Each structure stands twice: as C-alpha cells, then as structure tokens.
Amino acid sequence: MDTGDARDQVRFSSLEVVALPWVFTQHHPLDTNDFIKRAKDRGVDLDLLKLRQLYKHRILVPLVAITNRRYAEPRTQAYDEPQCAGTRLYELRVARKDGRLLDLSAGPFLPRLQFNPQGPYVPRWWNGLLYSYHQLAILPKLDNLLAHCRYSYRNEQIYPRLPEPDPFLRHWAIWYHRIALMAAALEARYLPALDPEWVHLVNAKPNEYDQYRHSFNPVAMSRQLKYPAEQVRRDAEGLLLSAHAIEPTSGWWSQLLRRAPRDSWKHLKGASLSAMDLRETAEILLRFHEDLSEHGEAEPLPTIPDHAWHPLHERLSSRHETLDQNLMHLGLSPHPRVVLAVEGESEELHTPRVWKSLAIQKLPNWCAS
C-alpha cells in the first residue's frame, strides 16, 4: 500500500484544525480517560502511563494540549458554531479563544508534561490532553509494541516501558496522525450523512447544519488543508485495506455488518469495531473526494466490477446486493428463497411425499398450505 514517504508528507498543525468551523461537534474530543475506555472496547489495554510512553516515542501523540500558559494572542471566532454539549469541547473552545492550545506533534517530547496526577487521587483532575476519535484507527498497529512492554516498580508504583518502535511503525504513526487531522477537519461536513438512509446529526439543529453544509467549499478546504484529491483517495484506500486485513468476519457477514447504522456499533468489540472505525474515516475522505470530483478537482472514483476485489468494495456505502439478498445468503431472511405453488388436492397430497423421498430437509420457514 502506497501511503507516500513519511518524510515528504506536508505538515498541517492541529491548531489549524481546531480553528475550523464546527470542529469536534460530531465526534467530541477524547480526553485520556475516554481514549483508554474506547481502546479497551477495541481490545487494546492502555493506561495513562502507557499513553505517555506512546507519546514519548511519537507513536500516538495527543492532538492538542490545553495549558495554563498563553501561546498566542486571544482571538474571536468569525463564524457561528453550535452550542457546546460536552465539557471537553467547551474547554477546548475557551482555550482556543484564549490562545492556550499547544500542538504536541510540532515539537520534541516534553518530559514534564503530566499524564497522571502526582501524589494522591485528586477529584476531577485532568491533564488537559485531548485526542481525536480518528486517532483510534492506529490501535490495531500497536499490538506488537504493547506485547513487548516491560514494567518496573519504584516509589510504590508500577511503570511501563515500551521498546523503541521499528521504522515501519514510526511511518504508520505519522500517516495515521495526518489522517486523523484531516478527518477531524472534514467530519462535521460528511459524518452526519454517512448513513445512506438518514442524517445522524449531533449537537446541532438541521437548519444550522444546512447552512454550514451549503457554505462548505471542498476546493477551498482542500487548498487550506494542503490535501489534494489524489492523496485523499490513496489514504482512503489504505484505510480500507487495513480494515479488510483486521476484520474477523468476511463475505456476506461482513457485507451485512457494514449495513448496520452507526448507533449500533456500540455493540461491537475488538477488531470488528476497529475495522468499522477505519471504514468510517475512509468514508469521510471518499465523500470529500467525490465532492472534489464534482468540482472538477479529480477524476471520479472508478466503477469496480463485482468479480474483481478492490478496496472500494469495503466502503460503508458499498451496496452490491439488497438487504434481503444479504439475509438470504446467511439464511436469516424472513422471506422464503423458493415458493412452490401447486394446484389441486392430489398435488397437495403428493408434493410433501416427493419432498420427503428426496431427503430434502425441512427449512425453519417452511410452510405448506
């Protein structure tokens, strides 16, 4: 999979992302405790000190840090945003206005940055670190690194220590971090309409979203993010390849799973949930690519034959068969596959006997009348 040379990838600051309209309104920013809980749902065991180790090795860097120090002049946003519905989003907006945000990926490791409270438990203590929901996509790549974690005991506390990551993981870390930035910038526009059947809007009214959607300029956004359509497509297909590689189900089960609305994903666990994360982020990027194509900035996505597998077949919006066909393949459809109609009392008498003589099993939804 071609993700481009990590050294040549254009850098885009997380501070520029959090300054965009509507950012984090659909997927709220995750603090460290939220991130640890969501990682556990995906089968990855993390804690505050492991997150610090991942930051130290530049494998999983928080998207932004809220500090008490002012790094920029106070600013007032020139656009309207929906009201905050979460504490972390509110604190992010206040810090953004005051100039108290720090992009941790822009500088070296800060050893004095606290991930866990010093001393006894402090109620409501928070380290000020925030992650994007889309940073969960890297979790399946961390299995080998976390498996080689070593522990030491000092000052009545256990400290984890991760080995030096290999160059491949460092490359993936840069790639996933950049995609998380891009997806965070684009999700407010495309995430609400990801389900083809309905609009799933969070923290906003429909008329507010309509105004934002109509004011959104994909070409201008591509220029601002320094994110050309060709790279958008490569990134999306790379995410879909990763989803295909880790998805524990396949075939018709996988197709049926991708039809499930996003609200139902909370019932998934482990690799199945991680695969859906990857597909969701990929779908956001592909919707952006389709917008750019409509504006003449890219060639349309190709039409892939059903018999030739392609990463685009893994899209959430990929529908090669009807829902009833998917259910019939799995034997779950409430509708019979075959209807046999006979006429007359003699046929009604003989047909079940012929069926029995052929040793054809009686199906659960078999009905003779």
Side-chain angles (χ1 to χ4, degrees), residues 20 46-47 49 70 81-82 85 115-116 118 126 133-134 179 204-205 248 255-256 280 284 289 292 296 341-342 358:
L20 293 172
L46 295 177
D47 55 38
L49 293 178
R70 179 174 293 170
E81 291 183 296
F115 274 69
N116 60 323
Q118 301 297 315
W126 175 44
Y133 178 92
H134 301 284
I179 287 179
K205 298 177 181 178
Q255 294 177 28
L256 186 62
E280 179 184 272
I284 290 172
H289 184 281
L292 292 174
V342 297
L358 294 175

Side-chain angles (χ1 to χ4, degrees), residues 276-294:
M276 299 303 279
D277 291 336
L278 292 164
R279 291 190 180 106
E280 179 184 272
T281 304
E283 190 68 24
I284 290 172
L285 300 185
L286 289 171
R287 297 293 179 92
F288 181 49
H289 184 281
E290 289 170 344
D291 256 7
L292 292 174
S293 176
E294 290 180 3

Side-chain angles (χ1 to χ4, degrees), residues 9-315:
Q9 292 175 356
V10 177
R11 175 166 176 75
F12 193 79
S13 172
S14 61
L15 301 185
E16 297 176 80
V17 170
V18 299
L20 293 172
W22 281 57
V23 69
F24 289 130
T25 57
Q26 303 308 299
H27 277 316
H28 281 183
L30 305 177
D31 62 26
T32 43
N33 288 329
D34 291 332
F35 197 91
I36 289 170
K37 291 176 183 177
R38 291 177 183 265
K40 185 176 181 181
D41 290 338
R42 289 153 178 82
V44 179
D45 181 24
L46 295 177
D47 55 38
L48 292 174
L49 293 178
K50 284 182 182 178
L51 282 179
R52 185 180 185 276
Q53 283 280 298
L54 290 169
Y55 161 56
K56 177 182 178 180
H57 290 293
R58 320 299 287 174
I59 298 303
L60 181 58
V61 180
L63 198 73
V64 70
I66 296 177
T67 69
N68 294 323
R69 177 182 174 184
R70 179 174 293 170
Y71 291 91
E73 291 298 320
R75 58 184 296 177
T76 302
Q77 300 302 111
Y79 46 78
D80 294 329
E81 291 183 296
Q83 294 182 354
C84 295
T87 303
R88 299 308 182 213
L89 180 57
Y90 173 79
E91 292 171 338
L92 174 67
R93 289 182 177 179
V94 172
R96 181 181 64 182
K97 179 181 177 181
D98 295 341
R100 294 185 290 105
L101 294 178
L102 184 63
D103 180 1
L104 295 178
S105 66
F109 170 66
L110 302 178
R112 294 187 178 182
L113 186 66
Q114 292 186 0
F115 274 69
N116 60 323
Q118 301 297 315
Y121 173 73
V122 180
R124 298 184 179 180
W125 181 89
W126 175 44
N127 51 28
L129 304 177
L130 292 175
Y131 295 81
S132 164
Y133 178 92
H134 301 284
Q135 288 183 275
L136 295 166
I138 197 177
L139 291 178
K141 295 289 185 183
L142 303 182
D143 288 345
N144 186 60
L145 183 68
L146 294 174
H148 289 85
C149 182
R150 297 293 181 264
Y151 298 89
S152 60
Y153 184 79
R154 63 181 186 275
N155 300 327
E156 299 183 352
Q157 187 170 353
I158 297 176
Y159 290 86
R161 184 175 181 179
L162 295 176
E164 284 293 326
D166 60 62
F168 296 102
L169 183 56
R170 291 190 182 277
H171 170 87
W172 284 114
I174 295 172
W175 186 68
Y176 276 110
H177 188 83
R178 178 176 57 78
I179 287 179
L181 285 175
M182 300 298 103
L186 298 169
E187 72 171 23
R189 166 61 184 88
Y190 299 104
L191 187 63
L194 229 55
D195 291 330
E197 287 80 12
W198 55 75
V199 174
H200 185 81
L201 194 60
V202 180
N203 302 325
K205 298 177 181 178
N207 62 322
E208 292 176 322
Y209 176 67
D210 285 340
Q211 291 178 351
Y212 167 68
R213 180 170 57 88
H214 286 111
S215 66
F216 183 87
N217 186 330
V219 177
M221 181 63 74
S222 177
R223 302 281 194 274
Q224 183 176 356
L225 297 176
K226 302 179 181 66
Y227 200 27
E230 297 80 7
Q231 186 65 52
V232 175
R233 179 181 169 183
R234 285 198 298 269
D235 288 345
E237 292 186 1
L239 291 169
L240 292 175
L241 277 170
S242 297
H244 180 73
I246 68 171
E247 173 64 71
T249 62
S250 61
W252 297 318
W253 280 113
S254 179
Q255 294 177 28
L256 186 62
L257 190 62
R258 295 200 299 270
R259 285 183 174 273
R262 286 190 291 121
D263 280 348
S264 66
W265 295 0
K266 61 187 176 183
H267 302 295
L268 299 175
K269 298 292 182 182
S272 292
L273 184 53
S274 289
M276 299 303 279
D277 291 336
L278 292 164
R279 291 190 180 106
E280 179 184 272
T281 304
E283 190 68 24
I284 290 172
L285 300 185
L286 289 171
R287 297 293 179 92
F288 181 49
H289 184 281
E290 289 170 344
D291 256 7
L292 292 174
S293 176
E294 290 180 3
H295 285 77
E297 292 290 304
E299 293 294 325
L301 294 174
T303 302
I304 308 299
D306 291 345
H307 61 273
W309 188 87
H310 191 276
L312 293 178
H313 285 162
E314 295 290 316
R315 291 186 67 175

